[in-house]
Amino acid sequence: MKTYAIATIPGDGIGKEVVPAGQALLEALAAASPGEFRFEFENFGWGGDWFRAHGEMMPADGLDALRAKDAILFGSAGDPHIPDHVTLWGLRLKICQGFDQYANVRPTRILPGIDGPLKRCGPNDLDWVIVRENSEGEYAGVGGRVHQGHPIEAATDVSMMTRAGVERIMRFAFRLAGSRPRKLLTVVTKSNAQRHAMVMWDEIAAQVAKEFPDVRWDKELVDACTARMVNRPASLDTLVATNLHADILSDLAAALAGSLGIAPTGNIDPERRYPSMFEPIHGSAFDIMGLGLANPVGTFWSVAMMLEHLGEAAAAKRVMQAIESVTADKALHTRDLGGNATTAQVTKAVCDRIAAPAARRAA
């Protein structure tokens, strides 16, 4: 029987509610899969509370504590009493960059029972995967501030792109697009205005495309892509974009699919040198923290992505079947989806479906 070592990092806000829900789901899955696999969890209480106690979002040697894990389940980083750049760079980005999780993968589709805002969109018209370059670009951390507080104060943030970084994310995106039925990739750019780094981005995309003759691809300016996602969703399948562009587009994609509360992401090290990290994209949502209103579906879908990454494709499929069964029942919709269900009710419903013999037979 396989044993997977999973690090759980709830982080801040509702992360402390949805990560335990994700752990409960994995425990229910293991209980329903006797002899197949089990999970060993280690929880790390890093985040805003840790910062208040220790002056840092995570210990300086925190990566060493995670290095031997098979995967990381992450909640959120963000605290209204701590500057956002401190919480992000001190925790989430420290892990992503420290473990070179250069491919951020965000699937989006309209789940059963959920009403998306695109009323002319058919049930299969919105089925995307956004690949976000996750290690450099606009979030490279290159820049600084000088003469602070004076009239001549200046600040810079430099978008840093390297040929190696662009080539590897393009190959990852083309490979992923080639694994999907439509074999279609849209390369998102802004080379009309950003005439150096983004022109290189375009040139490398064209070069890498020659290695994947079975993949159809096109190029779209990021501003035009937002309109295309709304007006022609069926024309898109797999998208690859820079760190900032994909960050924005994936939130739009989640909203078009019904709610940020259902959207998952994986921060992947494709070479598997380090553990990859899986998380919902919804953020810490302090306004609903502790009220039992958080939607755990984004975390559950992230768990499915984690299982897929670990090689447990059948288990990932069972989790997605359970999720879709629950979202199809409007009585189990949380507030972000227009319902009144609680985090605990949705979690119990998904776990019950995982435990049901019918769920095992369907898999």
Side-chain angles (χ1 to χ4, degrees), residues 47-338:
D49 292 340
W50 186 273
F51 181 88
R52 278 180 281 274
H54 303 279
E56 56 188 356
M57 291 293 290
M58 64 180 286
D61 61 352
L63 293 180
D64 292 334
L66 301 174
R67 201 177 303 274
K69 303 300 183 184
D70 292 302
I72 303 164
L73 183 61
F74 186 82
S76 61
D79 187 302
H81 306 293
I82 304 171
D84 287 342
H85 68 279
V86 173
T87 59
L88 184 64
W89 282 94
L91 184 56
R92 184 184 176 277
L93 288 182
K94 185 172 181 178
I95 296 170
C96 289
Q97 295 192 354
F99 286 153
D100 200 20
Q101 297 166 346
Y102 67 83
N104 179 277
V105 181
R106 298 190 169 188
T108 305
R109 59 187 173 89
I110 301 175
L111 297 176
I114 294 178
D115 294 326
L118 298 181
K119 299 306 179 186
R120 292 176 296 168
C121 182
N124 299 315
D125 288 349
L126 199 164
D127 185 354
W128 307 328
V129 177
I130 297 176
V131 176
R132 170 183 174 184
E133 200 294 313
N134 208 34
S135 65
E136 50 183 37
E138 303 88 347
Y139 298 168
V142 179
R145 293 176 67 181
V146 295
H147 308 301
Q148 293 187 45
H150 296 279
I152 58 172
E153 181 174 355
T156 60
D157 275 297
V158 179
S159 176
M160 181 67 68
M161 294 189 190
T162 65
R163 172 168 286 276
V166 178
E167 283 184 351
R168 68 182 184 176
I169 199 62
M170 287 295 174
R171 288 196 177 94
F172 181 90
F174 271 97
R175 196 173 295 117
L176 178 61
S179 72
R180 287 168 59 83
R182 297 177 65 191
K183 300 184 184 300
L184 172 65
L185 177 67
T186 296
V187 176
V188 180
T189 186
K190 192 56 182 170
S191 51
N192 60 339
Q194 295 174 287
R195 60 182 182 168
H196 301 299
M198 292 306 304
V199 170
M200 184 182 78
W201 170 273
D202 292 352
E203 291 172 353
I204 293 175
Q207 293 163 10
V208 171
K210 296 176 183 178
E211 303 173 18
F212 299 89
D214 60 325
V215 176
R216 294 181 297 123
W217 74 286
D218 61 5
K219 185 173 69 173
E220 189 76 84
L221 295 175
V222 63
D223 44 338
C225 193
T226 61
R228 182 173 167 185
M229 290 168 74
V230 174
N231 294 328
R232 295 187 293 129
S235 72
L236 296 165
D237 185 81
T238 308
L239 300 86
V240 61
T242 68
N243 217 328
L244 173 63
H245 293 165
D247 191 4
I248 296 168
L249 292 177
S250 58
D251 274 18
L252 172 60
L256 294 176
S259 170
L260 264 67
I262 64 173
T265 190
N267 302 286
I268 308 296
D269 167 27
E271 279 72 297
R272 298 175 184 268
R273 300 158 295 173
Y274 309 104
S276 293
M277 182 165 69
F278 302 85
E279 59 177 318
I281 74 168
H282 50 54
S284 55
F286 262 71
D287 57 324
I288 62 169
M289 180 181 66
L291 301 179
L293 300 176
N295 190 339
V297 168
T299 300
F300 295 159
W301 196 343
S302 299
V303 165
M305 293 182 69
M306 184 180 76
L307 291 165
E308 188 83 33
H309 181 75
L310 292 174
E312 299 291 348
K317 181 180 178 182
R318 286 163 60 186
V319 170
M320 287 307 303
Q321 287 172 337
I323 291 170
E324 292 176 1
S325 174
V326 168
T327 62
D329 184 352
K330 291 185 182 294
L332 291 170
H333 284 190
T334 46
R335 191 174 71 173
D336 58 304
L337 296 173

